[in-house]
Amino acid sequence: MEITLYHYLTVGAILFSLGLYAMISRKNAIMILMGIELILNACNLNFIAFSKYGGLGVDGQLISIFVILLAVAEAAIALAIVLNIYNNFNTANIDEVDSMKD
Amino acid sequence: MEFALKFLPLAILIIPLVSFLIIIFFGKRLPRQGDWLGTGFLFLNLFLSLYVFIAFMSLGNYSITYDWFSLGANETKFTVGFVVDQLSAVMLIVVNLISALVHLFSVKYMEGDSKYSKYFAYLGLFTFSMLGIVITNNLLLMYVFWELVGLSSYLLIGFWYEKKPPQEAAKKAFIVNRIGDFGFLIGIMIVFYFIGNFAFSEIFSGISSGKIPSGWLTAAGILLFCGAIGKSAQFPLHTWLPDAMEGPTPVSALIHAATMVAAGVYLTARIFIMLSADALTFVAFIGAITAFIAATIALTQNDIKKILAYSTVSQLGYMIMAIGVGAYSYGVFHLVTHAFFKACMFLGAGSVIYGMHHIQNISEMGGLRKKMPITFVTFLISTLAISGIPFTSGFLSKDSILASTMAFGSINGGITIIIPIIAFLVAGMTAFYMFRLVIKTFLGEPRNKEKYDHCHESPLQMTLPLMILSGLSIFFFYSFNPFGAEGGWFINVLKSPESLLVGTKGAIYHIVSREEFHEALHHAHYPAMILSLVLAGLGILISFVFYFWNKVDTEKLKKALNPLYKFSLNKWYFDELYHYTAVSFVMGLSALASLFDKYVIDGIVNGAAYLTVKLSDFGGLFDKYVVDGLVNFTGGTVWVFGMILRKFQTGRVQTYIGFLVFSIVLLYFIFRWI
């Protein structure tokens, strides 16, 4: 079976949906961050697929690399925030972190 | 001299007012509560009025008029002004002299009273009002001062208003006077309707040119005289005066001698020349009836002040009668002489009451001549004067009045004969009851030993006025001939003015000219004198037989004449009569009016209130359910939507993301189908 653009896009869509689902349904901040990583990777997969089958060329690969870099930076900062939340609230559950709500 | 007549009358009028104002506002802060101020001012006033009198003697009548204001389409002018003529010049002295002496007397008599300064303020106001009546030259202003006299008498009679009787007496004096004043007011209006002016000079010249028809003139005269009936306590409005004895005794002296009751006689003398024959006859009969009724009541009274009060009413009747029969000069002459000896008697009674520590019943007195020699002698002189004994002023004036009534009777004949008969009877009765008072009070043995032992002569402040006033009851102040006032300087000053209506026809009794009247008077002089002396002597003799030598058992006499005695003791039942007729009628009317007020007026008011309450209730309900309902509905709707929408606003980012995704999907499908 020949692998076509649609296969890539399908895998990307599945990855995106899983990421989205993780982002919406998980309570743990780490899990939400992982959902975000999944979405970013789904995007990366799409960019790569379009760089191979579409007219995007090498630009798609470059954008993917940027996205990966971005994800790294984002993960570092987000994890640092989560760590601080954990230190302050003694939990990583985002439902319980609501002291600004009142 | 001109200056004296131009400005001094005004000054004399204003000074007591100033005294009143100063004492009423600052009295409590002045040393001695300001009694020296009131008294000093009045003595100053006395000297000013003596000076005015001297000026009047050399310059004659003086009158000054100022414009006050004008009214109406034809600019009817109202004026104020004063007049100095024989009447007002003499009255100024009488009023100021007696008022000054009463002030002096009161300093001791009222000592220690809680309203001491107020008392002197009121005396000032009273004097001011009376002086206003005396010097004014128009009826309107006279009416104003007339009412002021009513007010100040009310204040002074009810001076001890903490007690019930003075309150009642003050009210009675005021209300009874109002009845007379009502007639006075109507009289003024009649005069004004025809003349269009209030000034006496205008009125008199208008009458002599016949501006008032004769019927109206009689009505106006009688109605104006109604004011005098009230103020001078004439029948049928005499009942207030004996009750007015509830005031402080010096006030009684002032009211009875100089101020209030003199006002009525003064008014009658002022309008004398415009009184028609019928009106004059009316005046004469009222005076005679009053003199008779009051004299019979005085026979049996036991309160020293009540006897003097009825004696005053009786003597006022004399004065009014004298003016009524046309003896203007003698009426005013008697007013003056009576003012002095009656003031002396009242102040003497005050001195007795002061000495006896507020005993007023003469049957508890007796023998006081040893304890109070000065009071006794002065009182005796005044009593001789009022009884008409020769060498006193009372003899001169009373004898002239008796002669005038005889002249009147002989000129007119018919029923008018009653007037001289009454006059002579009253003369005899006056001598009797006055000596009864003197004997019971000063002579004989003390009946109340305990009070007698504590009794003492009054201090000089009280006896000095007595001495001055009794001194003025001696004949030579008025005429050098002790047996006749005619030709004396005083009668020459008080020359009777000629009536404006001499010889007018249409009256039952025609008014005779002054000369004609004097001719008749001359004939009546000696018979009148002898008759009056006999009657006065008889009265005094009977009095001595009854009360000094006790030859007749008065108790038995009382029993024998029981109905008459009771009738006199109860003052002819006038108070009861008025109580059951006029007072109950007015009270009934008031009760009716009050019922009308209560049920009709109050009913309307309450109905309106009830309606308003009901309307408001309805309005309240509308507010509550409709207006509030709308407001609450708005609020409630917002609340419901809020409650629904807040469910979406969870504050969780995940929920928002969920909505975001859902919406995008929705939008995708929407656009897809479009």
Side-chain angles (χ1 to χ4, degrees):
Chain A
M1 190 179 73
E2 196 187 352
I3 305 290
T4 61
L5 177 63
Y6 298 104
H7 292 98
Y8 285 98
L9 289 183
T10 307
V11 173
I14 289 167
L15 263 179
F16 181 86
S17 299
L18 287 172
L20 194 63
Y21 178 72
M23 214 170 95
I24 291 171
S25 59
R26 291 297 106 183
K27 298 288 180 205
N28 195 315
I30 308 275
M31 289 304 171
I32 293 169
L33 280 176
M34 291 174 90
I36 292 171
E37 291 303 320
L38 279 183
I39 289 171
L40 286 173
N41 282 328
C43 291
N44 281 349
L45 196 59
N46 280 12
F47 276 121
I48 298 298
F50 283 123
S51 82
K52 188 173 180 193
Y53 297 104
L56 211 54
V58 81
D59 290 353
Q61 293 172 20
L62 276 172
I63 290 170
S64 296
I65 290 163
F66 272 119
V67 171
I68 289 165
L69 279 171
L70 202 100
V72 169
E74 180 244 302
I77 291 166
L79 281 173
I81 290 170
V82 171
L83 199 62
N84 266 322
I85 286 172
Y86 186 79
N87 283 338
N88 280 321
F89 295 92
N90 214 11
T91 177
N93 187 340
I94 52 159
D95 279 357
E96 292 173 30
V97 184
D98 56 359
S99 62
M100 280 176 80
K101 199 176 174 182
D102 300 327
Chain B
M1 283 306 232
E2 176 87 28
F3 164 83
L5 290 182
K6 200 166 183 183
F7 297 107
L8 285 189
L10 269 183
I12 290 170
L13 177 63
I14 299 297
I15 285 172
L17 181 66
V18 172
S19 150
F20 162 70
L21 290 174
I22 293 177
I23 298 177
I24 198 85
F25 287 121
F26 309 109
K28 292 260 177 203
R29 267 171 269 168
L30 291 172
R32 286 190 56 79
Q33 303 203 20
D35 57 357
W36 52 274
L37 188 90
T39 316
F41 271 16
L42 255 295
F43 274 101
L44 170 68
N45 236 5
L46 173 61
F47 287 116
L48 292 182
S49 42
L50 283 171
Y51 190 66
V52 167
F53 186 77
I54 292 165
F56 160 73
M57 291 293 275
S58 60
L59 292 175
N61 286 4
Y62 186 84
S63 171
I64 190 159
T65 308
Y66 305 100
D67 282 344
W68 190 8
F69 60 91
S70 49
L71 213 63
N74 45 3
E75 294 285 303
T76 309
K77 266 196 183 147
F78 291 79
T79 56
V80 289
F82 61 83
V83 59
V84 180
D85 59 2
Q86 77 272 34
L87 199 54
S88 54
V90 169
M91 281 305 287
L92 279 181
I93 296 178
V94 173
V95 172
N96 280 315
L97 175 63
I98 289 175
S99 184
L101 292 178
V102 165
H103 271 79
L104 182 62
F105 187 89
S106 305
V107 168
K108 207 72 198 166
Y109 190 84
M110 297 300 287
E111 197 175 36
D113 196 279
S114 57
K115 287 172 288 179
Y116 189 73
S117 72
K118 215 180 240 180
Y119 174 81
F120 278 91
Y122 290 164
L123 282 188
L125 182 65
F126 208 166
T127 313
F128 161 72
S129 324
M130 184 62 201
L131 290 172
I133 292 181
V134 169
I135 70 166
T136 180
N137 73 350
N138 75 61
L139 269 177
L140 185 67
L141 216 56
M142 187 183 251
Y143 188 73
V144 172
F145 285 110
W146 195 261
E147 293 302 324
L148 267 176
V149 165
L151 166 75
S152 34
S153 72
Y154 173 82
L155 293 174
L156 279 169
I157 293 169
F159 185 69
W160 286 316
Y161 54 75
E162 302 88 348
K163 284 180 270 171
K164 189 84 180 158
Q167 286 175 17
E168 299 280 332
K171 260 190 285 180
K172 189 172 179 180
F174 195 75
I175 293 169
V176 171
N177 264 299
R178 295 296 313 152
I179 299 171
D181 295 351
F182 189 60
F184 187 27
L185 185 61
I186 297 174
I188 293 175
M189 287 196 271
I190 292 176
V191 170
F192 184 73
Y193 175 76
F194 286 106
I195 306 287
N197 203 312
F198 288 115
F200 284 120
S201 51
E202 299 286 324
I203 292 171
F204 293 152
S205 63
I207 288 170
S208 50
S209 60
K211 273 190 187 164
I212 302 185
S214 69
W216 282 107
L217 189 59
T218 304
I222 289 174
L223 284 166
L224 288 175
F225 175 64
C226 277
I229 291 181
K231 277 277 179 298
S232 284
Q234 296 297 297
F235 168 82
L237 300 180
H238 63 277
T239 53
W240 67 267
L241 196 136
D243 286 27
M245 293 298 106
E246 293 295 342
T249 309
V251 171
S252 305
L254 193 61
I255 289 179
H256 286 252
T259 50
M260 189 148 169
V261 296
V265 181
Y266 180 83
L267 170 68
T268 319
R270 259 278 169 255
I271 60 170
F272 169 71
I273 56 172
M274 62 169 276
L275 290 175
S276 67
D278 290 340
L280 276 175
T281 314
F282 178 80
V283 170
F285 270 101
I286 287 287
I289 293 168
T290 311
F292 182 71
I293 291 175
T296 54
I297 295 173
L299 293 177
T300 56
Q301 299 300 311
N302 277 320
D303 184 317
I304 184 167
K305 285 177 78 180
K306 280 269 158 73
I307 299 175
L308 292 178
Y310 278 106
S311 135
T312 307
V313 176
S314 176
Q315 296 303 309
L316 287 166
Y318 250 76
M319 299 166 205
I320 296 286
M321 177 173 70
I323 295 174
V325 300
Y328 165 95
S329 327
Y330 302 134
V332 179
F333 185 28
H334 196 55
L335 176 66
V336 174
T337 58
H338 172 263
F340 292 138
F341 59 68
K342 187 48 69 64
C344 179
M345 279 185 210
F346 265 108
L347 295 181
S351 170
V352 168
I353 293 165
Y354 185 77
M356 290 289 280
H357 302 287
H358 297 279
I359 292 281
Q360 298 197 5
N361 193 333
I362 54 168
S363 46
E364 288 191 45
M365 297 173 184
L368 287 178
R369 75 177 183 285
K370 288 177 209 133
K371 287 275 188 178
M372 312 179 93
I374 302 175
T375 309
F376 168 62
V377 171
T378 52
F379 203 97
L380 187 66
I381 293 172
S382 327
T383 308
L384 289 173
I386 200 175
S387 308
I389 304 300
F391 302 108
T392 60
S393 62
F395 173 77
L396 296 175
S397 54
K398 206 166 178 179
D399 202 50
S400 315
I401 292 177
L402 290 171
S404 314
T405 57
M406 268 179 101
F408 179 73
S410 69
I411 292 172
N412 289 306
I415 191 136
T416 54
I417 290 296
I418 289 176
I419 287 178
I421 293 172
I422 288 179
F424 281 103
L425 271 180
V426 170
M429 283 194 277
T430 307
F432 171 76
Y433 68 69
M434 283 316 299
F435 269 88
R436 171 175 176 265
L437 171 62
V438 169
I439 292 166
K440 279 196 155 190
T441 311
F442 293 103
L443 303 179
E445 290 305 311
R447 276 175 285 265
N448 187 336
K449 195 73 187 151
E450 192 199 339
K451 285 277 177 192
Y452 176 78
D453 289 339
H454 289 101
C455 184
H456 54 82
E457 179 60 285
S458 305
L460 185 66
Q461 289 101 315
M462 289 166 80
T463 50
L464 186 67
L466 294 178
M467 291 187 265
I468 296 173
L469 288 168
S470 62
L472 286 169
S473 306
I474 311 286
F475 72 95
F476 56 74
F477 284 104
Y478 310 96
S479 160
F480 289 117
N481 175 8
F483 295 105
E486 205 59 36
W489 70 274
F490 200 76
I491 287 299
N492 285 341
V493 171
L494 280 176
K495 216 165 168 46
S496 172
E498 186 71 283
S499 171
L500 299 169
L501 307 152
V502 170
T504 43
K505 296 271 183 274
I508 306 170
Y509 314 102
H510 62 97
I511 288 183
V512 295
S513 73
R514 193 163 63 197
E515 284 69 28
E516 208 176 328
F517 184 75
H518 275 240
E519 185 65 29
L521 186 65
H522 196 69
H523 289 301
H525 186 64
Y526 284 103
M529 186 166 85
I530 290 161
L531 198 54
S532 81
L533 274 178
V534 168
L535 280 166
L538 209 61
I540 295 168
L541 190 69
I542 295 171
S543 190
F544 269 91
V545 169
F546 276 17
Y547 301 104
F548 192 66
W549 295 309
N550 291 320
K551 294 285 181 205
V552 178
D553 189 353
T554 46
E555 290 303 317
K556 262 187 196 161
L557 199 67
K558 274 181 201 169
K559 289 223 170 59
L561 296 171
N562 196 28
L564 281 176
Y565 176 73
K566 278 263 151 58
F567 196 58
S568 163
L569 188 66
N570 289 310
K571 304 142 196 170
W572 288 42
Y573 296 101
F574 269 113
D575 284 330
E576 285 76 7
L577 177 72
Y578 289 160
H579 187 265
Y580 288 112
T581 53
V583 176
S584 354
F585 174 71
V586 172
M587 287 301 194
L589 211 63
S590 317
L592 210 67
S594 132
L595 283 181
F596 182 81
D597 260 20
K598 194 166 173 186
Y599 291 105
V600 180
I601 308 273
D602 283 12
I604 292 169
V605 172
N606 287 343
Y610 180 80
L611 208 68
T612 311
V613 168
K614 284 291 151 201
L615 272 173
S616 310
D617 277 353
F618 179 75
L621 286 178
F622 181 83
D623 262 18
K624 194 167 172 185
Y625 292 104
V626 180
V627 177
D628 283 12
L630 274 173
V631 172
N632 286 342
F633 177 74
T634 314
T637 317
V638 172
W639 186 80
V640 168
F641 276 98
M643 286 313 280
I644 294 169
L645 288 175
R646 75 181 276 227
K647 293 274 195 293
F648 300 105
Q649 306 288 326
T650 55
R652 287 196 206 125
V653 184
Q654 289 171 317
T655 324
Y656 300 152
I657 294 170
F659 284 127
L660 188 72
V661 173
F662 175 73
S663 311
I664 290 169
V665 172
L666 205 66
L667 284 174
Y668 172 76
F669 282 109
I670 288 170
F671 285 117
R672 186 68 194 274
W673 284 328
I674 293 169

